Amino acid sequence: GNARMGLQYDSISGDTVLEKRMTVNIDATTESSSGITFGARLRLRSNEAGAGTVNGARVYMSTNGLEIAAGNIYGALDSMPGMYDSEVGLTALNDAGVVTNTVANPATAWGFDGYSSSGNGAEGIEAIYTAGGFTGHLSYSEPTLSSGASAQKRTAVYGAYVFNDWTVALGLQDSSVAAEDKVVLTVGGKIGDFGVGFAAADNDGESKVALNGSATFGATTVNGFIADEESGAELAIGLGVTYDLGGASVMAGVERDAVGDTRADLGVSFSF
Amino acid sequence: GNARMGLQYDSISGDTVLEKRMTVNIDATTESSSGITFGARLRLRSNEAGAGTVNGARVYMSTNGLEIAAGNIYGALDSMPGMYDSEVGLTALNDAGVVTNTVANPATAWGFDGYSSSGNGAEGIEAIYTAGGFTGHLSYSEPTLSSGASAQKRTAVYGAYVFNDWTVALGLQDSSVAAEDKVVLTVGGKIGDFGVGFAAADNDGESKVALNGSATFGATTVNGFIADEESGAELAIGLGVTYDLGGASVMAGVERDAVGDTRADLGVSFSF
Amino acid sequence: GNARMGLQYDSISGDTVLEKRMTVNIDATTESSSGITFGARLRLRSNEAGAGTVNGARVYMSTNGLEIAAGNIYGALDSMPGMYDSEVGLTALNDAGVVTNTVANPATAWGFDGYSSSGNGAEGIEAIYTAGGFTGHLSYSEPTLSSGASAQKRTAVYGAYVFNDWTVALGLQDSSVAAEDKVVLTVGGKIGDFGVGFAAADNDGESKVALNGSATFGATTVNGFIADEESGAELAIGLGVTYDLGGASVMAGVERDAVGDTRADLGVSFSF
């Protein structure tokens, strides 16, 4: 698991509030005599906004590079390489550099399945296949199959290929809610101590593109992004810095999103 | 703990839905210097129907074959040998072969205390005594003692005796709710790779009898039941099959209950 | 963690009810390469009153005797040495010997921050400093910082000093709710097998003083208190006995509080 604590500011409320989180994963696996791995994960999460929760389980089986899972699935789009490379700071702030997050057009923003840390999730099914540098991921959820946990039908897929230090990924989602139809492309790579990434998405006609980069100098890593959204009033920009304490990190970030709101945070984060 | 995933069908809704479960037991024990064992169990459970939960604890002490417990008790009837030997499939479906489950007369069906995996349970007390082949189990719950967790007063008891491969058990419950008065008898045994069981219950006048059997061929086990309920429109029947993968099992079942509804399931189950 | 079970009586309802509790702590720590400890705690708790819960996390970092924490903080007053030395029995009953608990004047009773075992807690910040025999503890919470988890602003502090077998502590709280302003003094110590303690508090003008004592004879410890509260109708008195089984304890207590209500309990308690 992991934990973090710090402070968070946003220009909408003008308030600086405490940021605290602890996440404990309960991972269980077993292996059949023929070599199939069976596993399940349950997560305990305490956020600053309320008491701790137990989320919905993700149960899976995997063999020869193929994993089949049911329940609180990861979701293809949410798992796509490069999707969250633009995140800055301790908390990722408003994720204004993520190209599926159309800040200025909330209708098309977060309508895709992803692992829920404190809720039941999509109650869907998914298959993930890895062979050499290739990864393919198909996820599916709908109201009947999920006993009502998912309100709409979503089919999402991505394919990604890694060659040397570069990764290219293409993702698609078809949903029964038209505003959730998405096409996403990401490219990311490393040149020595520098990282660079590009992402673009068509969110049911609402396009968004983003560039991100990072540079590491010893224990310090600086990263940032700029993103341009079709309906946005301005360019979204973000800047973050991480100082590695060896086992824990001091992290800070500041971000202005596409509608001009500013957020910042500062704190420490560690894994255990 | 254990986990499972698969699909479940019922003829009432006509729907096939995802079935997923993960159960994590937190068992704690300590021993006094005089050899008394003190223990407690808490369970984390995630079902397909919602987010995960923490149940009520069962706290116990045991010595010389006697166990005294308080809280989320197992309950005498629910713990009786042979009670659930008729279950088929991944999920036990509607438990139509369980003789205390009067499908056609819901008033008398599940009115007895049992361990609650996601709730507080009966908040009662119980004593379990084992000596040689004999086991006796007495459980008690009522509104005042349980601070309101139990709505009625229930006293339940069973006695069971194992001789060679055969087990006979007799259980009784007296409740402040008359429809919950029950008398249950079970007999079960093994003849080589074949298992056979008989159960009968008087559920406050609503009688139900059931026969179950199983046969194991290598890694495959087939089991089934037929049950006859006084108010039932038809015989309840069920058939299940389990294929042992060594560490996990593929399980499937189909069942028609006493009012003619059909259910089926298919999936994998494993322990960890 | 720890667990207990037993029975509890109070003269208000006249009822004897089941008492059951299981507490499981999930403690996680890591250390940076420069020797700073980072940690977090999450607690699972099942009480007799309902199903189990996951509380809010307390996240901390510590180095060289200084600990900084955020979230579900311990709170300075609640952590003060000598505050709970008067507790008797399995459950501490009504804590009638605790000088901040003004039984006869509920307005000033429990208005200070403390670790919440089943809720989110104060969502505050605190610093604890230890050097030699000295410990200082400062805690702070307020509505904005806590995103609404705390309804008022509280600043609390205590300083304590240990010399030989004696501990003296002085605590103060200033709150935006006037009735929560408090000054607390405790003195406690040991003389061989006998323990003795004195505590006094000014709870926004409502004064309360208490004396407590204990005596250990082999495996048996007897303890008790008398407390005098300004608005109380009578002296509060309590008597408890603990028999150490080695790994578990049998505990019983009886208490009459300042308004004349009587409570008693009896049971076993153990840690794991």
Side-chain angles (χ1 to χ4, degrees), chain A residues 69-73 113 120-126 139-142 145-146 149-150, chain B residues 18 20:
Chain A
N72 190 353
I73 56 173
D113 294 335
N120 193 42
E123 195 63 17
I125 51 175
E126 65 187 344
S139 65
Y140 178 72
S141 65
E142 54 105 332
L145 186 71
S146 69
S150 282
Chain B
L18 207 64
K20 169 211 75 176

Side-chain angles (χ1 to χ4, degrees), chain A residues 172-245:
Chain A
L172 306 166
Q173 177 172 277
D174 180 56
S175 170
S176 59
V177 175
E180 294 179 354
D181 289 346
K182 285 175 183 290
V183 181
V184 190
L185 173 73
T186 69
V187 182
K190 292 204 117 198
I191 305 161
D193 288 338
F194 298 89
V196 64
F198 168 77
D202 176 331
N203 302 282
D204 188 45
E206 172 83 12
S207 68
K208 183 171 178 181
V209 295
L211 273 172
N212 69 73
S214 67
T216 300
F217 316 97
T220 306
T221 299
V222 176
N223 70 326
F225 71 86
I226 52 171
D228 188 19
E229 182 182 338
E230 198 174 354
S231 307
E234 31 191 316
L235 277 185
I237 57 170
L239 192 67
V241 61
T242 299
Y243 183 79
D244 185 355
L245 297 170

Side-chain angles (χ1 to χ4, degrees), chain B residues 180-258:
Chain B
E180 294 179 354
D181 290 345
K182 284 175 186 287
V183 182
V184 189
L185 173 72
T186 68
V187 182
K190 294 206 116 196
I191 305 161
D193 288 339
F194 297 87
V196 65
F198 168 78
D202 176 333
N203 301 283
D204 189 42
E206 171 83 12
S207 67
K208 184 171 178 181
V209 295
L211 273 172
N212 69 73
S214 67
T216 300
F217 316 97
T220 306
T221 299
V222 176
N223 70 327
F225 72 85
I226 53 170
D228 188 19
E229 181 182 340
E230 198 173 355
S231 308
E234 31 191 316
L235 278 184
I237 57 171
L239 191 69
V241 61
T242 299
Y243 184 79
D244 185 355
L245 298 170
S249 297
V250 178
M251 303 176 90
V254 60
E255 180 186 277
R256 190 193 61 194
D257 67 21

Side-chain angles (χ1 to χ4, degrees), chain A residues 122-123 142-150, chain B residues 8 16-19 48-49:
Chain A
E123 195 63 17
E142 54 105 332
T144 302
L145 186 71
S146 69
S147 304
S150 282
Chain B
Q8 200 175 1
T16 298
V17 305
L18 207 64
E19 160 60 34
E48 61 285 356

Side-chain angles (χ1 to χ4, degrees), chain B residues 28 32-33 54-55 57 120 123 145, chain C residues 18 20 46 48 50 52 245-246 272:
Chain B
S32 79
S33 46
V54 186
N55 77 348
N120 193 41
E123 195 64 15
L145 186 71
Chain C
L18 207 66
K20 170 211 73 178
S46 166
E48 61 286 355
L245 297 170
F272 48 80

